[in-house]
Structure formats: C-alpha cells, structure tokens
Amino acid sequence: MSANFPHAVARLRAARLARSVKPFLARGGPKGERCTGCRLVPTHCLCALRPNVPTSAGMCLLMADIEPLKPSNTGWLIADVVADTFAFGWARTEVDPALVALLNDPQWQPYVVFPREFADDARVVHEVTQDADIRPMKRPLFILLDGTWDEARKMFRKSPYLQNFPVLSLHPDQLSRYKLRRAQSEAHFCTAEVGAMCLDLARDTQAAQALNAYFDVYTEHYLKAKRQQPVDLADAMHVRLKEVTRPV
C-alpha cells in the first residue's frame, strides 16, 4: 500500500477530497501542514508509534459524508491498528457494491454495533459468538456507524442491507475519554473506544489494549499540537503503548 494511503480510511478520505468542489478546511483554518499518515502537524506526528498487533476480527466503518476528512476522526485509529478494516461512505439512496460483497463474504459474521433500544429485541446480542464446532469458523466483522449521534441513528434506520444482521449492544462500565469534540452525552463513545470494546469481546485482547493506548496517545498529541506544546515520548501514555504492543 502507498505510504500516502496506508489503509481504507485514508483511501476513503482521498476519494472524498477528490470529489470536493472546494477545499475542506479543518478547524483552525487553512494554515499549517498536516502529515498524510496521521493527520497531525509534522511536529506531533504519530506515524512512528502506529501499533503492529495481530487481530482476528475485522472492522467495517460506514462513515458520514465529511467524517473521513476530520482530523479528529478516530475511525482512522482503528484502521491503523486492525489490518482488516474496511471503510465506506454512507448514502441513503445508494450502496457501494464492494460493501454488499463484504457483508456477503462467508468468512465474516457481521455485527451492527448499536444501542439495543433502537433495535428489535430479537436482533440484539451482547456477546460475540465463536463456535468452534462450525467449520470454517466465521470471523467477527464489526459494523461501526461513524458520524455524529444523529447521523449514526439515520444510518441505522435507513440502511436496509444491515437489517438482517445481529445488533451488538455494548454495556461499558466507564465514561468516554474522548476530548476532541463535544459529545451529546458522556455515555456516547467515540468510534475508537467502541472499536476497542468490540475487539475485547472478540478476544483480540492485545489489539483492544493497543487501540485504547494508541487512542490516548493520539489524543495527547492532538491536544498538545493544538496548544503548541511539545509531547513527552517518555510519559506514562507512551510507555503504556510500548508495553501493550510488544510481541506476545
């Protein structure tokens, strides 16, 4: 893969930029160069810290229109950590044939990750089934609806191709750590946090820990860059990231 487009979210971002009739300006205006690999300013680049850990699960990101363009989007972090990450732009009136093919691929068991109160009880599950008696055993594919809360609810309601899949309802025992955008509720988690919970349910324990640690380090780099402060590569967050990404 090209260094400029290291994964599916980067490629989706490039395709979305190519369709734009005017440049997308991240908050802060047009000044300042950003790294194409991590979207941060070069002085706070995160690329050298990208985790390399094995995963059995896959991630499918359905992204609202401008979500891939936002430097604060954390679906990008999932794609950095999980090798089998797929990303598609969402539209109400059309669906990418590649998405349909992915959802029908027999190696995967898709799960739509969404709160249970918005789904029929018969579809709701709280665990990831990994039945060793089934050959070949299907790998979990977590479908994450990446956008604002209102956008995610719209995607959930108006995507008929998702209606036959189980809805995975998460019950986290902590509040969100996301600090880069204002959420409607502290109970609403960002995409990377949700992805880490899914990996944990899929028994991809090291990947879950790596994604959580990487998310914390990314947040630190992002906020320090915004404040024009240097990062400390030897602080507790960076040490934790190194610890959880060591080969098992």
Side-chain angles (χ1 to χ4, degrees):
M1 289 183 290
S2 167
N4 290 331
F5 307 116
H7 49 57
V9 179
R11 293 191 293 273
L12 182 61
R13 180 180 188 274
R16 179 60 181 81
L17 283 171
R19 296 197 311 272
S20 298
V21 295
K22 60 181 181 179
F24 175 81
L25 301 180
R27 185 170 295 179
K31 295 186 294 183
E33 178 188 359
R34 290 184 181 270
C35 172
T36 57
C38 67
R39 306 155 300 155
L40 298 176
V41 296
T43 54
H44 291 67
C45 177
L46 199 68
C47 292
L49 303 177
R50 186 178 297 143
N52 181 15
V53 293
T55 54
S56 62
M59 297 283 177
C60 176
L61 303 176
L62 290 186
M63 307 186 79
D65 183 48
I66 66 169
E67 202 63 37
L69 304 181
K70 298 176 181 178
S72 57
N73 174 269
T74 64
W76 188 288
L77 305 181
I78 293 175
D80 277 345
V81 175
V82 179
D84 286 319
T85 295
F86 309 88
F88 302 92
W90 185 86
R92 184 180 63 82
T93 56
E94 57 185 291
V95 56
D96 190 327
L99 171 59
V100 175
L102 173 67
L103 298 178
N104 290 326
D105 188 328
Q107 75 169 300
W108 298 110
Q109 171 56 63
Y111 293 88
V112 183
V113 183
F114 214 68
R116 64 171 300 164
E117 57 264 33
F118 297 94
D120 294 335
D121 288 343
R123 293 180 63 197
V124 176
V125 299
H126 301 288
E127 297 180 350
V128 174
T129 302
Q130 293 180 311
D131 191 342
D133 294 331
I134 298 176
R135 293 289 186 269
M137 188 167 64
K138 291 191 174 185
R139 300 165 62 193
L141 178 71
F142 299 107
I143 303 169
L144 308 185
L145 309 182
D146 193 3
T148 66
W149 178 235
D150 289 340
E151 288 169 335
R153 284 191 297 179
K154 184 177 180 180
M155 286 187 242
F156 185 76
R157 293 195 315 268
K158 297 183 179 294
S159 302
Y161 46 89
L162 299 181
Q163 299 309 309
N164 293 326
F165 299 123
V167 174
L168 179 62
S169 179
L170 302 173
H171 293 280
D173 57 4
Q174 75 276 356
L175 296 177
S176 174
R177 310 188 312 283
Y178 189 55
K179 304 173 184 176
L180 308 186
R181 293 186 226 161
R182 182 176 298 173
Q184 292 182 348
S185 166
E186 287 184 324
H188 291 170
F189 289 80
C190 75
T191 306
E193 291 174 306
V194 172
M197 294 178 213
C198 292
L199 290 170
D200 199 42
L201 284 176
R203 302 183 184 91
D204 277 329
T205 305
Q206 185 186 21
Q209 293 174 342
L211 181 53
N212 271 322
Y214 188 51
F215 166 68
D216 288 338
V217 168
Y218 167 76
T219 300
E220 181 75 359
H221 281 236
Y222 185 103
L223 293 177
K224 287 290 181 68
K226 187 176 180 180
R227 298 164 186 158
Q228 297 184 330
Q229 298 172 341
V231 293
D232 179 2
L233 297 178
D235 67 12
M237 290 182 187
H238 290 82
V239 170
R240 173 63 177 163
L241 179 60
K242 290 179 181 179
E243 289 176 346
V244 299
T245 54
R246 287 192 184 120
V248 177

